[in-house]
Amino acid sequence: PCQSRCSPSPMMMTDPPRSRSASPAPKGLSSGWGLIGIFALSAVLIVLLQILTARYAIRQRTAPGSGNNSKQDRSDLHLQRRIQHAATGLVFVAISYIIPPFPAALMLLVADAALFALHRARLRSEAAQGIYMKLFGALLRPHERTSLPGAFYFVLGTAASLAFPIKVARLSVLCLSLGDPVAAVVGTTIGGPKLVMDKSFSGTSACLAVCFVLGFGVMGFNATESAIAALCATLAELCSSGIGIDDNLLIPITTSVGLHFYRVVIGT
C-alpha cells in the first residue's frame, strides 16, 4: 500500500510532449529590422511622392500658355499640395496598423531630426539649398524657403498623437490629412463670409463636416465623440495662424487631447 501511495505515477514521471509549433517565434533583431524596413520604405515613398508632385508642378508652370492664367496656376499648385498632404497622412495611418505606436513614434522623431538637420544644412550651404529647392521648391510656400517646412510639423504632430490611444491618434491624423486640405480647397473655391484670420465660413464648415464623418463613419466613434474631435480639429485649423503655431502640429495634438480628455474624464 505504501509503495502504491508513495511511488510517482507514470503520468508524473513522464514529461509532457513538447510541440515545436508551440515554441515562441524568435523576436528581436529580425522583427525590429522588419519594422524599420517598412517605415523606411514608407518614408521613401512619401519623399518620392513629394518629388514627383513638385516636378509635375514645375512642368505645368513651364508648359506653353501656362503663364496666361497665373491665378489658375496658383489654384492648381494649391490643389497639388493638398493632394500630397492627404496622401502623406494616409500613409502614416496605414503604417499604424503595422508598426506599434511606441516604435512608430521613435521612428517619426528620428525622421523629424533628419528633417531638422537637412534644414540646418541647406541654410549653411548654397549647394544644399540649391538641391533642396530643385527637388521640393515648387511645393514650398514663400516663408518655407528659409524656415522649417510644414512636413517637419506634420511628422512632429503625428508622433505626438501616438502618445494617446491608437484609435484616437489615427482619427487625429485623419483630421489633419483630410479635414485640413478640404477646408483649404473649399474655402478657396467657394469662398464666402470670412471668420478669423481670413478663414472662410465655407472652408471651416467643410472641415467640421469631414472630421465628423471620419470619426463617426470611418473610425467608429459615437456621435458625441466624433463631434468633439471635429470641433477640436476645426478650432485648431481656424486659430493656428492667429496664435502662430503651424496647423500641421496644432491639429493632431488638439484633436488628441480634446477627444482623449472627453473619453476619460467626461464621457465615462
Side-chain angles (χ1 to χ4, degrees), residues 19-237:
S19 173
R20 292 185 179 182
S21 61
S23 60
K27 298 180 179 179
L29 289 178
S30 59
S31 59
W33 283 116
L35 295 179
I36 293 174
I38 292 172
F39 183 84
L41 178 61
S42 302
V44 170
L45 290 175
I46 291 172
V47 172
L48 287 177
L49 174 64
Q50 292 180 329
I51 293 174
L52 291 174
T53 305
R55 300 304 298 173
Y56 178 78
I58 293 174
R59 183 177 300 176
Q60 290 293 103
R61 189 182 304 171
T62 57
S66 60
N68 297 333
N69 193 346
S70 58
K71 184 177 180 179
Q72 181 63 40
D73 293 341
R74 288 194 300 270
S75 178
D76 291 343
L77 178 59
H78 188 71
L79 180 61
Q80 291 158 12
R81 283 200 197 106
R82 295 306 171 180
I83 293 174
Q84 181 268 326
H85 178 98
T88 299
L90 292 176
V91 169
F92 284 154
V93 172
I95 291 175
S96 73
Y97 287 93
I98 302 173
I99 303 178
F102 183 70
L106 289 180
M107 294 176 194
L108 287 170
L109 291 175
V110 170
D112 226 24
L115 284 174
F116 183 79
L118 175 61
H119 169 70
R120 298 296 299 175
R122 71 186 180 94
L123 292 183
R124 296 179 180 181
S125 169
E126 292 184 2
Q129 176 74 338
I131 295 173
Y132 184 86
M133 293 301 298
K134 183 177 180 180
L135 292 176
F136 307 106
L139 296 178
L140 298 178
R141 296 182 175 89
H143 71 274
E144 292 177 331
R145 297 176 183 271
T146 55
S147 62
L148 284 166
F152 174 84
Y153 299 103
F154 195 115
V155 174
L156 185 60
T158 301
S161 70
L162 290 173
F164 298 88
I166 188 61
K167 190 177 178 181
V168 172
R170 285 172 181 151
L171 177 57
S172 301
V173 176
L174 284 174
C175 289
L176 169 63
S177 306
L178 300 177
D180 181 34
V182 166
V185 171
V186 171
T188 55
T189 303
I190 298 178
K194 300 295 183 181
L195 298 176
V196 295
M197 300 304 297
D198 204 36
K199 302 286 186 177
S200 69
F201 176 78
S202 61
T204 301
S205 300
C207 180
L208 184 67
V210 168
C211 292
F212 178 82
V213 170
L214 289 171
F216 187 72
V218 177
M219 295 305 303
F221 289 96
N222 64 44
T224 304
E225 292 171 338
S226 301
I228 293 292
L231 183 61
C232 290
T234 303
L235 288 176
E237 194 276 333

